[in-house]
Amino acid sequence: MSAHSMLCERITIAKELIKRAESLSRSRKGGIEGGAKLCSKLKAELKFLQKVEAGKVAIKESHLQSTNLTHLRAIVESAENLEEVVSVLHVFGYTDTLGEKQTLVVDVVANALHNIWLGRGQYGDKSIIEQAEDFLQASHQQPVQYSNPHIIFAFYNSVSSPMAEKLKEMGISVRGDIVAVNCLLEHPEELRLSESESDDEGPELLQVTRVDRENILASVAFPTEIKVDVCRRVNLDITTLITYVSALSYGGCHFIFKEKVLTEQAEQERKEQVLPQLEAFMKDKELFACESAVKDFQSILDTLGGPGERERATLLIKRISVVPDQPSERALRLVASSKINSGSLTIFGTADSLKAITMTANSGFVRAANNQGVKFSVFIHQPRALTESKEALAMPLPKDFTNDSMY
């Protein structure tokens, strides 16, 4: 293929990838973290190629072959083939074995799956095994729902079978074409290492072998279903307790309240019911709430709750194991602020001690804690207030009313 034909092909690929990346970013409600960054990288690549096409930049054919598009294309394809992609090009911080702070850029994070496409020169002089050790170290320090994320190494240009086996032994999944390795000696058994010999002698063995990329032993795609440990413990905070029993969640959303915030929540409920989401997440799980959360919830209920809301609260508390306040050490290390108060520290910290996921509408606390380097396992939902006692002074909506009528 001529340099011009290769250039035209790269430009076409870049344009196609931009469309796919933009579509990928829109595929998840609220967007995919890092989606804009991925699109920007692709657009920068396209801009560069167009400059080459216009004669403004002179490059060699070899430069076209080593374009970043190979890596960026792999990220897009990887993300398209995984379910529940939450972010791309995500930076994770971790502490290495020497106690030094390091960072890793993970190309795709999906449902607690970390995926990386390894390319030529992408990680300097580090071997793939060293990179794998880095990822394992980071994984152990970045638990998701109290389990270490699974790591997948995907090789775009194949991987030798011994390397694939070594990665699997380390607990890392391998994706891509696994190719054979041919020995260049007539009697390879002469190089068989004894058990007493160290791994340091490995390079001598590698010097007399050759990767045979034409001999594909297996082609491993992303599994359609990867087993992920699901945390079965759930902690309900005050906002979730209130949302669960709110009249808004039980059909009382067809009002215009005197309080603007309640009218807005009623509108949100008409657009998207929150109770089915809560029930679906709580199904078949152990439900907990700490004593202080239940106490504060009961106080709010006594002040603002209507009869139906109080009745539902009684039934809900019977389903929950109320546990003593027991905030974890890392929760107690958080510095108090407008978003981080002692009550929230106790609730989220107790869940952390129990290794439970906290259901909450308090996204402000979660973000503030995250900014201080403390990530809690959470299920975030929209808030609903206690409104039953407010209905008497609210204006009922007509039966033919739609949300569009308000605008």
Side-chain angles (χ1 to χ4, degrees), residues 322-365:
V322 181
V323 297
D325 297 348
Q326 45 188 307
S328 62
E329 289 185 13
R330 69 191 196 110
L332 293 174
R333 287 198 298 267
L334 288 169
V335 179
S337 67
S338 59
K339 298 291 186 182
I340 298 178
N341 56 47
S342 59
S344 295
L345 282 175
T346 298
I347 293 169
F348 285 83
T350 297
D352 203 35
S353 295
L354 293 172
K355 297 190 181 304
I357 302 170
T358 299
M359 297 180 71
T360 182
N362 190 356
S363 57
F365 172 87

Side-chain angles (χ1 to χ4, degrees), residues 102-394:
Q102 305 287 352
T103 58
L104 279 175
V105 179
V106 178
D107 289 345
V108 182
V109 180
N111 190 24
L113 307 177
H114 293 182
N115 168 61
I116 176 172
W117 293 82
L118 299 178
R120 182 173 50 201
Q122 188 179 346
Y123 288 89
D125 295 327
K126 277 196 172 184
S127 72
I128 290 175
I129 298 302
E130 288 174 317
Q131 295 165 38
E133 290 170 346
D134 287 346
F135 271 78
L136 289 169
Q137 185 90 356
S139 171
H140 292 148
Q141 296 175 29
Q142 304 285 343
V144 177
Q145 294 188 14
Y146 307 100
S147 295
N148 297 328
H150 188 69
I151 301 171
I152 300 175
F153 272 21
F155 294 86
Y156 201 59
N157 294 311
S158 74
V159 59
S160 68
S161 55
M163 182 64 69
E165 286 303 316
K166 178 62 177 177
L167 290 171
K168 290 176 184 177
E169 288 174 12
M170 296 172 72
I172 292 175
S173 294
V174 173
R175 185 262 192 216
D177 291 338
I178 299 175
V179 297
V181 172
N182 295 332
C183 186
L184 302 184
L185 292 182
E186 292 183 5
H187 303 287
E189 64 274 5
E190 295 174 5
L191 285 175
R192 191 170 297 156
L193 295 176
S194 67
E195 292 183 3
S196 62
E197 290 179 302
S198 69
D199 292 339
D200 294 338
E201 298 182 29
E204 293 183 16
L205 183 62
L206 293 177
Q207 290 172 5
V208 293
T209 61
R210 181 173 59 195
V211 175
D212 183 0
R213 297 191 186 280
E214 300 300 319
N215 187 1
I216 299 175
L217 302 178
S219 293
V220 185
F222 279 116
T224 54
E225 183 177 345
I226 296 179
K227 185 178 179 181
V228 178
D229 292 332
V230 177
C231 179
R232 294 292 177 187
R233 289 188 160 197
V234 172
N235 173 59
L236 282 65
D237 82 341
I238 300 170
T239 62
T240 300
L241 293 169
I242 291 174
T243 298
Y244 192 92
V245 304
S246 167
L248 289 176
S249 304
Y250 292 83
C253 57
H254 301 282
F255 292 93
I256 295 177
F257 295 93
K258 289 193 172 184
E259 298 83 355
K260 183 180 178 181
V261 65
L262 300 185
T263 300
E264 290 174 347
Q265 288 188 11
E267 182 184 351
Q268 291 171 352
E269 177 65 21
R270 293 194 298 272
K271 290 181 178 178
E272 184 177 13
Q273 293 181 318
V274 72
L275 187 61
Q277 299 172 33
L278 303 185
E279 288 283 21
F281 188 76
M282 293 161 62
K283 185 178 180 181
D284 298 328
K285 294 186 175 75
E286 296 179 81
L287 305 181
F288 296 88
C290 66
E291 289 177 345
S292 62
V294 173
K295 181 180 178 182
D296 289 347
F297 168 59
Q298 194 63 55
S299 177
I300 295 170
L301 197 68
D302 292 342
T303 305
L304 302 173
E309 291 169 335
R310 294 181 186 184
E311 182 179 350
R312 287 190 288 272
T314 300
L315 295 174
L316 176 60
I317 296 301
K318 287 181 180 179
R319 294 174 57 190
I320 296 172
S321 297
V322 181
V323 297
D325 297 348
Q326 45 188 307
S328 62
E329 289 185 13
R330 69 191 196 110
L332 293 174
R333 287 198 298 267
L334 288 169
V335 179
S337 67
S338 59
K339 298 291 186 182
I340 298 178
N341 56 47
S342 59
S344 295
L345 282 175
T346 298
I347 293 169
F348 285 83
T350 297
D352 203 35
S353 295
L354 293 172
K355 297 190 181 304
I357 302 170
T358 299
M359 297 180 71
T360 182
N362 190 356
S363 57
F365 172 87
V366 176
R367 284 194 300 270
N370 193 25
N371 289 339
Q372 292 190 30
V374 178
K375 295 181 180 180
F376 291 104
S377 293
V378 295
F379 174 87
I380 297 177
H381 58 83
Q382 290 184 347
R384 300 290 184 263
L386 300 177
T387 58
E388 189 175 9
S389 62
K390 305 284 187 179
E391 291 177 1
L393 299 176

Side-chain angles (χ1 to χ4, degrees), residues 17 20-21 24 38 42 71-81 108 117:
L17 288 176
R20 289 164 65 183
L24 184 68
L38 176 60
L42 284 165
H71 179 225
L72 296 174
R73 181 181 185 177
I75 295 175
V76 173
E77 290 180 355
S78 173
E80 288 174 338
N81 285 288
V108 182
W117 293 82

